[in-house]
């Protein structure tokens, strides 16, 4: 027997079965990110989860379905952390998954079945023909009213469900909660129209569009009566992408600069890593390279504190005719601990330009509330001590490239749209990321991390170099397009890229997170409207 519309399948009657289904449905979107990178799946990946939540018998159950689905999503997107955090990854997933509980309630309110019309629902047995006609008329009016109300709710859902999702992404993007890894819009890093949208409204606008398409598809499946607004919503999404592709401004290419990435890969000791990096860099001599980028923690000692090391690196700069951007674990005499520092090396040694990593990886580089959560070090590979934070972003001039200004980021920081936007506004013409994902070498993490550079480049109209110790290293142009070949996790090489430079300011760099603010405004207006309706309803009942 077919399941009546709006009612869950019989096998979902068990709370446990339903909970497992919610977690699995929430995990589906993880397949849209690298390594599978099924970007096309993103436009329907949320549909099973949306259909499940809308069928929840109560709002409390909808909140639970949202929570469990969010837990499944976090576990699937961050499954490569399991060897490091062990059981603690489940604790983190449950914590972050709770942010989807209010979203679950929102989905049920907007996508669930509307209550029956009062007149039709309360109509008793007709006793006369005139009563029959009157009751039929009321039922017909109630049906028309239900259809109109369903259309309004469908249209509201197309705006508010994506807006609610965006609020979840915003809250969990706080660096102390793990940062913006796995934003749904980031799954579209290799889709040119989506990258064009990112240049207009950042990754947030892409997420908004992707969730809107999922919502429209779910409505087409669950509420055929609301077909018109659902189809209209799909057409609006398609129109937005088309307008962005044909009419959004694009960066103006004004030349190129030759840069190189040195990826030593696994080499054993820090001394062996330095030897391998040095040999790869020497091979670049005579090739016209102006900037050589090494990965994160390419040195375990700071050349500013070790003259012999500084002289060795300066000799490399002179031999290649390029400046070197290395990354050192820098100790500080005034306070215990080390910081991850990007240091620029010229033919005379360190130029004095350096940047210390500001946003640290929770549990990987520090433990939030260590006095409470310090036990994580006993069940996994959480940080035994906290790294030191930098105090501000830096733009560095590269003399060998005619004073070209570069904006360094270190590892995890490439996930934050605001950091690359800040560098672009401060005058950086090239974004440079130094990373090391060697701990997660055989997982999806290296490819996921490298893909973020495409979005940051498209958002800011600034080409981006993503250099790692062990792969994946990649370079992207100012439209987010890939330049040259990637260096995978199986490569130990130095690769040269002719990087296109662009001028102009992207709409996202200029106007910032307007898509996020628009989503906030829509939710505030909807909440205010719902509150006024509830208040007027109470007032009307009191007058009776």
């Amino acid at each position: 027997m077919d399941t009546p519309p709006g009612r869950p399948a019989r096998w979902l009657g068990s709370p446990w079965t339903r909970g497992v289904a919610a977690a699995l449905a929430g995990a589906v979107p993880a397949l849209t990110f690298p390594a599978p990178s099924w970007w096309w799946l993103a436009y329907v990946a949320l549909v099973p989860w949306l259909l499940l939540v809308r069928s929840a018998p109560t709002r409390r159950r909808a909140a639970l379905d949202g929570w469990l689905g969010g837990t499944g999503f976090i576990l699937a997107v961050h499954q490569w952390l399991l060897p490091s955090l062990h059981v603690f990854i489940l604790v983190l997933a449950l914590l972050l998954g709770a942010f989807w509980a209010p979203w679950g309630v929102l989905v049920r309110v907007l996508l669930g079945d509307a209550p029956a019309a009062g007149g039709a629902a309360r109509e008793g047995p007709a006793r006369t023909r005139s009563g029959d006609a009157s009751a039929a008329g009321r039922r017909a009016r109630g049906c028309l009213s239900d259809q109109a109300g369903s259309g309004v709710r469908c249209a509201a859902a197309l705006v508010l469900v994506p807006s609610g999702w965006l609020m979840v992404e915003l809250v969990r993007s706080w660096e102390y909660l793990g940062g913006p890894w796995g934003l749904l819009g980031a799954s579209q890093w290799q889709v040119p129209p989506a990258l064009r949208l990112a240049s207009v409204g950042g990754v947030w606008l892409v997420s908004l569009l992707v969730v809107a398409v999922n919502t429209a598809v779910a409505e087409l499946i669950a509420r055929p009566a609301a077909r018109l607004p659902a189809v209209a919503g799909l057409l609006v999404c398609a129109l937005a992408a088309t307008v962005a592709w044909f009419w959004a401004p694009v960066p103006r290419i004004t030349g190129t600069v030759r840069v190189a990435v040195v990826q030593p890969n696994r080499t054993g000791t820090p001394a062996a890593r330095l030897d391998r990096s040095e040999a790869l860099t020497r091979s670049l001599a005579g090739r016209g390279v102006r900037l050589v980028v090494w990965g994160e923690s390419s040195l375990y000692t700071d050349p500013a504190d070790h003259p012999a090391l500084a002289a060795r690196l300066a000799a490399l700069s002179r031999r290649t005719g390029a400046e070197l951007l290395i990354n050192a674990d820098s100790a500080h005499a005034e306070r215990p601990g080390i910081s991850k520092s990007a240091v620029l090396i010229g033919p005379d040694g360190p130029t004095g330009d350096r940047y210390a990593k500001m946003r640290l990886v929770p549990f990987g580089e520090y433990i939030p509330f260590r006095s409470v959560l310090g036990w994580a070090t006993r069940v996994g590979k959480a940080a035994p001590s906290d790294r030191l934070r930098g105090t501000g972003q830096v733009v560095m001039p590269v003399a060998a490239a005619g004073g070209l200004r570069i904006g360094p980021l270190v590892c995890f920081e490439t996930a934050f749209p605001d950091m690359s936007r800040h560098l672009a506004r401060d005058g950086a013409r090239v974004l440079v990321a130094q990373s090391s994902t060697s701990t997660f070498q055989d997982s999806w993490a290296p490819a996921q991390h490298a893909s973020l550079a495409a979005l940051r480049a498209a958002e800011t109209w600034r080409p981006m170099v993503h250099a790692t110790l062990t792969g994946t290293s990649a370079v992207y142009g100012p439209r987010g397009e890939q330049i040259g070949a990637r260096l995978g996790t199986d490569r130990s090489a130095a690769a040269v890229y002719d990087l296109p430079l662009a001028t102009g300011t992207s709409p996202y760099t200029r106007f910032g997170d307007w898509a996020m603010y628009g989503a906030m405004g829509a939710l505030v207006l909807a909440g205010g409207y719902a509150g006024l309706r509830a208040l007027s309803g109470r007032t009307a009942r009191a007058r009776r």
Side-chain angles (χ1 to χ4, degrees):
M1 182 184 295
D2 293 336
T3 302
R7 295 185 183 178
R10 187 174 300 171
W11 62 274
L12 289 177
S14 164
W16 294 102
T17 304
R18 188 181 183 93
V20 172
L24 292 175
V28 171
L31 298 174
T32 65
F33 300 100
S37 218
W38 296 345
W39 62 267
W40 45 268
L41 181 63
Y43 295 93
V44 293
L46 296 179
V47 171
W49 191 5
L50 289 167
L51 294 177
L52 178 69
V53 174
R54 76 171 292 274
S55 71
T58 65
R59 293 187 181 185
R60 181 176 296 180
R61 182 68 227 191
L64 183 58
D65 289 344
W67 185 357
L68 293 175
T71 301
F73 176 76
I74 294 296
L75 281 174
V77 169
H78 296 84
Q79 42 81 21
W80 42 271
L81 284 172
L82 184 60
S84 295
L85 296 182
H86 300 301
V87 70
F88 198 74
I89 185 63
L90 180 59
V91 176
L92 291 177
L94 286 168
L95 171 65
L96 296 176
F99 294 129
W100 275 275
W103 181 76
V105 175
L106 181 69
V107 169
R108 184 184 182 276
V109 168
L110 293 172
L111 295 183
D113 289 330
R122 290 191 298 268
E123 197 64 48
R127 298 187 180 182
T128 64
R129 289 185 179 180
S130 61
D132 287 344
S134 176
R138 283 194 294 271
R139 281 194 295 270
R141 289 192 298 272
C143 181
L144 290 173
S145 176
D146 285 349
Q147 290 179 355
S150 179
V152 171
R153 288 167 66 236
C154 177
L158 290 171
V159 175
L160 299 179
V161 170
S163 296
W165 179 278
L166 219 57
M167 292 305 101
V168 176
E169 291 198 334
L170 174 64
V171 173
R172 74 179 186 87
S173 293
W174 189 36
E175 60 177 301
Y176 298 103
L177 290 176
W181 194 282
L183 301 182
L184 195 57
S187 66
Q188 306 302 294
W189 64 276
Q190 55 187 327
V191 183
L195 292 173
R196 190 71 58 82
L197 275 173
S199 75
V200 174
V203 67
W204 311 113
L205 180 59
V206 183
S207 284
L208 203 65
L209 187 75
V210 170
V211 182
V213 171
N214 276 271
T215 305
V217 173
E219 288 182 325
L220 284 173
I221 294 172
R223 291 209 308 236
R227 184 177 294 115
L228 182 59
V231 171
L234 289 174
L235 291 176
V236 167
C237 292
L239 180 63
T242 302
V243 168
W245 179 252
F246 285 105
W247 284 286
V250 294
R252 298 183 300 277
I253 305 302
T254 57
T256 61
V257 63
R258 181 163 289 187
V259 301
V261 170
V262 168
Q263 181 176 295
N265 218 311
R266 293 175 174 173
T267 54
T269 66
R273 179 188 303 164
L274 174 57
D275 290 342
R276 179 58 179 162
S277 298
E278 188 176 25
L280 290 171
T281 304
R282 280 199 302 267
S283 71
L284 298 171
R287 301 183 65 180
V289 173
R290 294 293 173 255
L291 176 68
V292 180
V293 185
W294 292 11
E296 179 189 13
S297 295
S298 47
L299 298 175
Y300 277 8
T301 53
D302 193 326
D305 301 326
H306 295 79
L309 176 59
R312 187 174 174 181
L313 296 173
L316 277 178
S317 176
R318 291 192 297 271
R319 177 162 184 167
T320 58
E323 293 188 27
L324 280 59
L325 186 69
I326 59 94
N327 191 277
D329 290 351
S330 304
H332 296 262
E334 65 277 9
R335 51 180 176 157
I338 63 171
S339 61
K340 302 274 188 177
S341 298
V343 181
L344 194 62
I345 307 292
D348 299 320
T351 65
D353 295 301
R354 62 168 51 226
Y355 165 71
K357 185 177 183 180
M358 296 169 58
R359 296 184 182 173
L360 306 179
V361 180
F363 299 97
E365 295 176 319
Y366 79 104
I367 296 183
F369 310 107
R370 184 176 285 272
S371 60
V372 177
L373 301 177
W375 59 270
T377 60
R378 298 193 295 272
V379 298
K381 299 177 182 177
S385 61
D386 294 347
R387 304 283 189 182
L388 301 179
R389 296 178 184 273
T391 56
Q393 291 188 265
V394 176
V395 175
M396 304 177 181
V398 179
L404 178 73
R405 293 164 64 82
I406 64 171
L409 297 165
V410 181
C411 192
F412 177 62
E413 294 177 331
T414 63
F416 294 87
D418 65 299
M419 295 195 74
S420 54
R421 176 173 173 257
H422 186 276
L423 289 170
R425 288 175 66 92
D426 282 352
R429 296 195 64 197
V430 176
L431 303 176
V432 181
Q434 297 173 297
S435 176
S436 171
T437 50
S438 54
T439 304
F440 314 105
Q441 185 82 345
D442 300 317
S443 71
W444 294 357
Q448 284 184 17
H449 199 181
S451 70
L452 295 175
L455 281 161
R456 303 293 85 88
E459 287 170 342
T460 60
W461 289 0
R462 298 296 179 259
M464 188 161 189
V465 178
H466 180 83
T468 72
L469 289 179
T470 59
T472 301
S473 297
V475 174
Y476 299 92
R479 298 187 187 184
E481 73 280 18
Q482 184 170 319
I483 304 296
R486 292 180 161 205
L487 294 179
T489 55
D490 58 341
R491 298 284 305 279
S492 174
V496 176
Y497 302 90
D498 288 318
L499 196 62
L501 301 175
T503 59
T505 303
S506 72
Y508 176 68
T509 301
R510 186 183 303 276
F511 300 112
D513 300 324
W514 61 267
M516 182 67 73
Y517 297 134
M520 288 181 185
L523 291 170
V524 169
L525 288 174
Y529 175 73
L532 288 174
R533 284 198 63 183
L535 182 61
S536 63
R538 286 197 208 98
T539 303
R541 286 192 297 271
R543 287 175 178 172
R544 294 196 198 109

